[in-house]
Amino acid sequence: MQIQVSTPGLSWEAASTAARAAVRHAEGQGWKINVAVVDRGGNLMAFLRMPGAFLHSSQIAMDKAYTAASFGFRTKDWMSLVGHDEGMKLGFAVQPRLIVFGGGIPIPWEGDWIGGIGVSGASEEEDEICARAGLAALNPAGTQLSQGKQHGQDHEDHS
């Protein structure tokens, strides 16, 4: 029996870099956002709130990151991937912290995912753009960052 496992994790440097990149992008567009980065377990690793960003959006950003890290796919894709099953849709709807609109993206690593980034405060589309800017800062080489595995199946980026 194996007692210890080695699981890749998200470093504080990477979490901080992603959050700062999302805020820089929003700042350049004149948007005011909150951004959260969590590890695979949903633990908050980095959070930034721009002055003037909606206060309530702070928790929404954290919950978007948490949802993306929990499922391994974008919050925007949640309804199209599991919403067809009424039981799942109704059961998950009562779960705290579940967000099913855009702005939360998993942070992929070697065919799996190691966390999530969530942005809230602008429009759904603008939140998603800022989250992608955060991911891009973690991947300057430009390889595909938005793929991950969920329950043994590959999920493609549907953007």
Side-chain angles (χ1 to χ4, degrees), residues 77-91:
D77 295 334
W78 195 91
M79 288 301 286
S80 67
L81 293 170
V82 297
H84 63 281
D85 182 315
E86 283 300 310
M88 287 180 70
K89 187 166 63 172
L90 292 173

Side-chain angles (χ1 to χ4, degrees), residues 23 28 32 36 64 67 71 73 80 113 138:
V23 166
K32 296 186 183 332
K64 286 180 180 183
T67 301
F71 290 98
F73 52 82
S80 67
W113 73 96
L138 300 181

Side-chain angles (χ1 to χ4, degrees), residues 26-107:
E27 190 174 48
Q29 300 299 315
W31 305 328
K32 296 186 183 332
I33 64 163
N34 297 282
V35 58
V37 179
V38 301
D39 65 13
R40 175 74 181 256
N43 301 298
L44 188 63
M45 299 284 295
F47 178 81
L48 289 173
R49 179 178 181 275
M50 295 175 71
F54 297 121
L55 182 58
H56 197 81
S57 290
S58 297
Q59 188 63 48
I60 294 170
M62 289 182 235
D63 291 346
K64 286 180 180 183
Y66 183 87
T67 301
S70 297
F71 290 98
F73 52 82
R74 298 182 313 168
T75 55
K76 180 178 183 174
D77 295 334
W78 195 91
M79 288 301 286
S80 67
L81 293 170
V82 297
H84 63 281
D85 182 315
E86 283 300 310
M88 287 180 70
K89 187 166 63 172
L90 292 173
F92 278 118
V94 298
Q95 295 302 306
R97 304 193 70 186
L98 178 72
I99 301 291
V100 297
F101 49 89
I105 302 175
I107 299 171

Side-chain angles (χ1 to χ4, degrees), residues 117-141:
I117 182 168
V119 174
S120 186
S123 72
E124 180 180 6
E125 180 182 349
E126 293 162 351
D127 289 349
E128 184 97 3
I129 290 168
C130 292
R132 288 192 175 281
L135 281 182
L138 300 181
N139 189 33

